[in-house]
Amino acid sequence: MMSNLKTRVLIYSQSFIFIVIALFPKSSLALEEENQGQNARSSNSVEEVVVVGRFLNAAQQLLNERRDSDSVVDVLDSESISRLGDSTVAGAMRRITGVSLVSDKFVYVRGLGERYSSTTLNGAYIPSPDLTRNVIPLDIFPAAVVSGLSVQKTFSPDIRANFAGGSIDVRTTAFPDQGANLSIELGSGFNAESRGNLITYPEGSDDDFGKDDGTRALPLGLLQATDEYRGNLSAASILTALYANGQADASFAEAQAINASLGTLLNRDVDIRETGDKLDQNIRVSGGTNWLITDDLELGVQLSGGYDSSWRQRARKTYNFADPGERFSTESRTTRSVRLNSIANVGVAYGSEHEVSAAYLFIRDTDNEAAVEDFFNENRIKSDGIGFSRSSVEFEQRELSLIQLVGEHTLGDDSRALLPVLDYLPSDLVVTWQYTESEASTDIPNAVSFNSDTVTDPETAAVLSRTIQRDSSAADFRFTQLEDDALSYGYKALLPFETGRTMVELAFGYQFDRKARQYAQREFGLGSSNVSIDGGFGEVFSTENILNPENQFTLRTQGAGSRSYLAATMTTSYFAMADIWLDETYRISAGVRREDYAQVALPWNLFGYSVQLPMVTTDPEALSRASFEDSELFPSLTLGYTGNWWADEFQARVGWSRTAIRPDLREVSETSYVDPLTDELTFGNPDVVPSDIDNFDIRLDFLWDDGNSFTVGVFHKEIDNPIEFYELPASDTNRARGIINAESSTMTGVELEGLLRLGVLGDLGELFFIQGNATIQDSETVAGSRADAPTNQVRAAAGASDFLVNLMLGFDSDDGAHTASLIYNVFGERLYKAGRLGAPDEFEEPFHSLDFTYSWFPTEQLSVKVKAQNLLDDITTISASNVTVYERRPGSSISVKIKYQL
């Protein structure tokens, strides 16, 4: 699939080049459209320029979309996202009612973890660059490429049933309808916490573009040696191979020399050093146009691309609950983030009844990290005056690319006049469809970490000296590659008709999703357990020292073969539903969806060269236990009422639905692996079964003609066999966890949302408004008999806050030249990690975020935007029984952007 996708991209790219050439100056057709006013889409785009920055207009449009939906849906458009000031989709999502953000990338909807939500792009299933999870980390999507976000919190049969919290749809522009346009945006900024504290290491020549130039690549000679010596690089294995190749006089010393020489192939130029302050850099360019080919045929093109670079320093402290004053760690971590993205849209519209568009999207998101962690544990405590240190560097390059074709066709009067054969089909039938090929990848070449012994001040814990440990694996070199390919296509047919007082919409459709994943991880240890050499990493691991036989450096393969794996999923879905209105007042929506699901996850032993230890098992029983199949029906029912009770428009919805959450890719495997995000030893479980969820929702919307609105909702979820991680026995310095089906979980909450214009305060008040939302919720998870000695059999759901609050005070000037927003966000205490064997549960404390954005539009072409984030300079804190066990200070940030558009 990858080669086919790249071929298509090349073809599309060549076509786009010719289109871009034609964009400016405007074509004669485009000028004729403007002079004669024939193109409705172009005239609409002019109106949008006039009201740019007016948040209330966007808010009203979003209310209209939510009002028309038969489900509980929350939406954000691009204007709202821009005003809120968030740079990624993940950041913007936390502004939505009942949504919180964990680890700056994973979204929790209504207190349910990331596994309980699903993400699509324009309705299409897409792959994930996350190393161990199906879930898509939403920080990979820059806010600039998004035209809107939709979070559907109740199930309807026309969407996938694999969610319980929310179904998130990331929307990009479908049909390019902005008319002739060109814009360029430049920006810069900084983070206060990162000033004067940055560290780095020698980089490659392409790091500015978020791409490794080959400096960190797995050496070909080392890969060939791994094959030659059948996955075992020890001197004994090499000597055996030499004998097998006819070198009967080979000695063990020669084998040791070969082993050491292989160690010199690794890139060891990773000495960590301080560097000067760096400013953020942002640039974005966008352009497009529309042509009216005939009176009925219109062609639209829109191209855009962006580049962002930022440096962030994070100081993190962790403490042992039992002895926080003596056993703790301090880490200094610098992350350089580079984000490249481009999106191209080509659309064709015929009249008002047919639209077909093609889109190509490319995103590269690279984090380049250097970190130094000094720590004390049960083996060495602070007052001993000696401790440990771990230094590491990691270059993680994530990419997502896709080609998507979408269409919408209405078989109305114009279509029937053009093709009389359509007279045999139902009148006003609407058919939408999409076809998407996509691929995601993650490449982490030459992630290096090395351990040192430290001499410290017994009073202050300040590090006085570091000496790299005498250990055959003192330095660890890890090479990780993930490739995730997905194919998604389907259609939906909608047939509306009226009979007297009743309006009916019948819908049916089909959806097919397939994903294949390859995850490969190779790991090598290098060091000497016999001698201690003074100096930095580059000096200790110099070629001269490694090849000196007196130092006895050895290279070894590390990690179990099961850390790599192959996995695939396939889902075939069918649905049917009916939406019935009586007297435009009473509404019934009901339907059912069938999903046939299959999944397989197999350990892939990259060092398996024997029948006893093959690369992939061929044992029928093992293959059977590694696979999973499921076929189920998912019903939904929603009752609605529309009137004018207490408001100019009042809507009420009551809904019930049933959905399911299936095990993740590796969770049905019997093997264990180290989670690359948490460094925890993780055990799969082939006995895990899907979780069944019953969802209940009530929502009341009050809308007034002056733009004010108020919404109150109540939800309740009952989860049978929830899939959860629980801690398992491990060594004193390591943590392990396993996946199980807990007994049950329940979630109950109230959601409030409102928009209030402050005109009651007089003429000045007309310029201000308050928008906000709040969620109050309660959760309960019963561990059951499958959990291994949890401290609390009954606890809150992991990641679930007891409350969430978003408030925004907005200002829009009369002439539209100025907009400003003061935005506050806070989440309540939420469970971070459940305790075991009497150890207390760990909770993340509330984080208070206050942001400010200001936009100035001195002309119709020019705009200036200032953004300040985390003005309260709050810190992330995790505690256990009122003892702080984790602290991290994200710091305050400020940025300025200037945009010019034609």
Side-chain angles (χ1 to χ4, degrees):
M1 180 184 295
M2 181 178 292
S3 60
N4 293 336
L5 182 58
K6 291 180 177 178
T7 301
R8 292 187 178 95
V9 170
L10 181 60
I11 295 172
Y12 286 146
S13 300
Q14 293 172 343
S15 302
F16 289 147
I17 291 173
F18 292 106
I19 294 171
V20 172
I21 294 173
L23 288 179
F24 300 98
K26 297 176 184 177
S27 67
S28 58
L29 282 173
L31 291 173
E32 184 179 352
E33 292 168 18
E34 291 185 356
N35 293 333
Q36 297 181 3
Q38 293 177 341
N39 189 347
R41 296 181 187 276
S42 299
S43 63
N44 287 340
S45 66
V46 173
E47 292 176 8
E48 291 171 1
V49 172
V50 174
V51 299
V52 125
R54 296 290 293 178
F55 175 81
L56 291 175
N57 291 342
Q60 188 60 49
Q61 293 175 3
L62 301 182
L63 283 174
N64 292 338
E65 177 176 347
R66 192 164 72 182
R67 178 172 51 192
D68 294 338
S69 174
D70 61 345
S71 304
V72 176
V73 178
D74 288 319
V75 286
L76 280 178
D77 75 333
S78 59
E79 194 63 51
S80 303
I81 295 171
S82 175
R83 178 156 193 160
L84 292 167
D86 297 301
S87 59
T88 68
V89 166
M93 286 291 297
R94 66 192 172 105
R95 314 294 186 178
I96 294 176
T97 310
V99 177
S100 59
L101 186 63
V102 176
S103 301
D104 294 328
K105 64 176 67 177
F106 297 118
V107 166
Y108 282 43
V109 181
R110 290 178 164 177
L112 293 170
E114 71 270 13
R115 74 161 62 247
Y116 291 95
S117 294
S118 63
T119 302
T120 57
L121 184 69
N122 299 322
Y125 179 71
I126 54 176
S128 169
D130 188 88
L131 296 177
T132 60
R133 297 164 176 83
N134 266 331
V135 65
I136 299 169
L138 292 179
D139 64 324
I140 195 173
F141 292 105
V145 306
V146 175
S147 66
L149 296 172
S150 169
V151 182
Q152 184 167 330
K153 298 176 181 176
T154 59
F155 169 69
S156 59
D158 56 341
I159 64 173
R160 295 161 185 83
N162 187 38
F163 80 95
S167 177
I168 302 163
D169 189 35
V170 180
R171 302 172 179 175
T172 60
T173 302
F175 188 91
D177 60 356
Q178 301 183 40
N181 66 92
L182 176 65
S183 68
I184 181 170
E185 182 179 75
L186 301 175
S188 186
F190 66 92
N191 176 269
E193 191 69 18
S194 303
R195 306 287 287 177
N197 299 311
L198 300 177
I199 57 177
T200 187
Y201 66 101
E203 299 182 335
S205 59
D206 291 338
D207 282 13
D208 287 341
F209 303 101
K211 188 179 188 322
D212 180 50
D213 62 357
T215 301
R216 305 174 180 87
L218 178 63
L220 180 60
L222 188 55
L223 191 60
Q224 292 173 337
T226 302
D227 287 336
E228 182 178 355
Y229 303 121
R230 305 182 70 78
N232 187 344
L233 299 180
S234 67
S237 175
I238 293 174
L239 184 61
T240 299
L242 294 177
Y243 288 156
N245 291 333
Q247 301 181 39
D249 57 347
S251 66
F252 189 74
E254 289 177 318
Q256 288 180 309
I258 293 174
N259 173 273
S261 67
L262 292 175
T264 65
L265 299 178
L266 293 165
N267 175 29
R268 290 154 285 120
D269 188 13
V270 293
D271 278 310
I272 296 175
R273 55 178 173 80
E274 295 182 354
T275 187
D277 293 338
K278 312 286 185 181
L279 290 176
D280 298 345
Q281 303 173 27
N282 318 102
I283 182 171
R284 185 159 194 85
V285 180
S286 179
T289 192
N290 294 68
W291 290 273
L292 195 62
I293 308 300
T294 69
D295 289 341
D296 296 317
L297 185 62
E298 181 183 1
L299 172 66
V301 178
Q302 189 71 30
L303 309 175
S304 65
Y307 173 86
D308 297 276
S309 175
S310 64
W311 292 72
R312 291 293 181 268
Q313 169 69 19
R314 296 289 184 264
R316 186 189 72 175
K317 295 182 179 180
T318 60
Y319 304 87
N320 179 270
F321 167 77
D323 193 6
E326 290 284 354
R327 294 156 59 181
F328 59 88
S329 73
T330 302
E331 181 187 72
S332 174
R333 179 178 297 270
T334 293
T335 303
R336 184 193 183 185
S337 298
V338 174
R339 291 181 170 88
L340 283 167
N341 58 81
S342 61
I343 186 169
N345 296 90
V346 177
V348 177
Y350 186 81
S352 61
E353 296 182 347
H354 300 276
E355 279 188 8
V356 176
S357 61
Y360 169 68
L361 172 69
F362 173 79
I363 295 173
R364 175 183 295 156
D365 187 336
T366 300
D367 287 337
N368 193 4
E369 296 185 335
V372 177
E373 179 186 16
D374 299 310
F375 60 96
F376 305 94
N377 57 27
E378 65 276 7
N379 298 314
R380 295 179 184 175
I381 60 176
K382 180 186 121 176
S383 57
D384 290 339
I386 54 175
F388 302 96
S389 182
R390 181 183 299 109
S391 302
S392 61
V393 300
E394 182 174 291
F395 183 93
E396 180 177 5
Q397 179 180 329
R398 301 184 299 173
E399 292 185 355
L400 173 67
S401 60
L402 67 85
I403 289 178
Q404 186 172 66
L405 301 175
V406 298
E408 181 174 343
H409 311 276
T410 302
L411 306 187
D413 294 338
D414 293 341
S415 300
R416 295 173 189 280
L418 183 67
L419 295 173
V421 69
L422 298 178
D423 290 336
Y424 295 99
L425 295 177
S427 178
D428 295 324
L429 177 68
V430 180
V431 178
T432 59
W433 57 270
Q434 67 85 17
Y435 178 92
T436 306
E437 290 186 18
S438 53
E439 60 184 47
S441 64
T442 296
D443 191 14
I444 309 178
N446 204 55
V448 183
S449 64
F450 53 94
N451 300 316
S452 302
D453 296 318
T454 60
V455 176
T456 62
D457 187 315
E459 297 295 328
T460 65
V463 176
L464 305 178
S465 65
R466 291 185 178 88
T467 303
I468 293 178
Q469 289 181 351
R470 294 171 53 181
D471 191 308
S472 58
S473 298
D476 182 84
F477 299 80
R478 184 184 300 176
F479 301 84
T480 304
Q481 287 183 310
L482 176 142
E483 185 176 300
D484 213 12
D485 296 330
L487 172 66
S488 175
Y489 57 84
Y491 72 88
K492 175 181 177 180
L494 183 67
L495 178 60
F497 61 89
E498 295 185 29
T499 58
R501 300 161 51 197
T502 304
M503 294 186 300
V504 179
E505 284 187 348
L506 300 179
F508 61 91
Y510 168 82
Q511 180 69 40
F512 177 81
D513 302 312
R514 185 187 68 201
K515 180 165 76 169
R517 168 174 286 204
Q518 296 180 10
Y519 176 90
Q521 180 178 301
R522 295 174 173 87
E523 192 171 354
F524 304 91
L526 179 64
S528 171
S529 58
N530 296 299
V531 296
S532 179
I533 303 173
D534 293 330
F537 183 83
E539 297 173 284
V540 173
F541 288 88
S542 67
T543 299
E544 180 181 359
N545 281 336
I546 294 174
L547 295 180
N548 186 342
E550 296 181 358
N551 294 330
Q552 297 186 28
F553 272 85
T554 59
L555 176 72
R556 56 189 294 185
T557 56
Q558 298 200 138
S562 59
R563 292 186 179 183
S564 302
Y565 67 97
L566 304 171
T569 64
M570 185 171 65
T571 308
T572 304
S573 308
Y574 314 85
F575 74 88
M577 56 189 297
D579 191 8
I580 304 171
W581 280 89
L582 178 62
D583 294 333
E584 298 185 1
T585 301
Y586 303 98
R587 187 177 191 179
I588 300 176
S589 299
V592 64
R593 182 182 185 92
R594 171 175 172 157
E595 291 189 350
D596 299 324
Y597 177 81
Q599 171 182 310
V600 63
L602 291 170
W604 181 18
N605 187 356
L606 298 176
F607 302 139
Y609 292 90
S610 65
V611 176
Q612 293 77 19
L613 290 174
M615 284 193 170
V616 178
T617 183
T618 57
D619 178 61
E621 183 177 349
L623 291 173
S624 176
R625 291 178 62 81
S627 61
F628 173 80
E629 290 184 279
D630 182 45
S631 182
E632 198 167 345
L633 296 176
F634 301 99
S636 74
L637 174 65
T638 301
L639 305 178
Y641 169 81
T642 299
N644 56 3
W645 178 60
W646 199 53
D648 296 310
E649 182 175 347
F650 166 74
Q651 281 196 348
R653 298 180 185 85
V654 178
W656 166 83
S657 62
R658 177 163 291 170
T659 55
I661 295 297
R662 304 181 180 101
D664 218 330
L665 287 173
R666 303 183 73 176
E667 293 173 351
V668 296
S669 172
E670 291 183 293
T671 58
S672 62
Y673 60 93
V674 175
D675 189 311
L677 294 179
T678 64
D679 284 329
E680 294 177 326
L681 182 62
T682 304
F683 291 85
N685 182 357
D687 296 322
V688 170
V689 298
S691 305
D692 296 319
I693 304 105
D694 282 302
N695 309 279
F696 304 89
D697 283 270
I698 301 174
R699 186 162 184 164
L700 308 178
D701 291 305
F702 301 88
L703 309 173
W704 288 271
D705 292 340
D706 59 4
N708 293 335
S709 65
F710 177 70
T711 297
V712 58
V714 179
F715 65 87
H716 177 74
K717 297 180 182 292
E718 297 179 355
I719 307 176
D720 188 31
N721 292 316
I723 302 173
E724 298 280 344
F725 281 110
Y726 277 84
E727 191 172 358
L728 297 175
S731 65
D732 291 339
T733 56
N734 294 310
R735 290 172 57 176
R737 61 178 186 168
I739 194 75
I740 67 166
N741 285 115
E743 184 175 308
S744 65
S745 286
T746 59
M747 182 76 61
T748 303
V750 177
E751 296 178 334
L752 305 173
E753 183 176 359
L755 173 65
L756 176 64
R757 302 185 65 170
L758 301 181
V760 294
L761 302 179
D763 292 341
L764 182 61
E766 288 285 352
L767 306 179
F768 291 86
F769 65 91
I770 296 176
Q771 186 188 42
N773 59 68
T775 302
I776 304 170
Q777 58 193 15
D778 180 64
S779 66
E780 180 181 280
T781 296
V782 180
S785 59
R786 302 181 187 97
D788 190 331
T791 298
N792 297 305
Q793 267 288 332
V794 180
R795 58 166 175 81
S801 301
D802 49 4
F803 69 88
L804 300 165
V805 175
N806 285 289
L807 286 175
M808 178 171 70
L809 174 63
F811 168 82
D812 287 320
S813 65
D814 278 335
D815 58 2
H818 305 273
T819 69
S821 302
L822 188 64
I823 308 153
Y824 173 74
N825 170 270
V826 64
F827 59 81
E829 182 182 77
R830 59 191 184 193
L831 180 67
Y832 177 75
K833 183 176 78 73
R836 179 178 176 272
L837 290 176
D841 294 340
E842 296 179 4
F843 290 90
E844 184 175 357
E845 300 296 328
F847 184 92
H848 299 267
S849 171
L850 185 64
D851 303 336
F852 174 77
T853 63
Y854 167 74
S855 296
W856 176 39
F857 304 88
T859 69
E860 290 187 2
Q861 291 78 34
L862 183 65
S863 63
V864 180
K865 182 176 182 179
V866 180
K867 176 177 66 176
Q869 293 184 298
N870 194 24
L871 293 174
L872 301 178
D873 198 25
D874 205 359
I875 63 176
T876 300
T877 304
I878 297 174
S879 62
S881 292
N882 298 319
V883 175
T884 298
V885 297
Y886 176 93
E887 285 183 343
R888 181 174 68 86
R889 185 179 296 276
S892 303
S893 299
I894 188 168
S895 65
V896 178
K897 292 182 179 180
I898 299 175
K899 183 176 181 179
Y900 184 79
Q901 58 186 7
L902 297 176

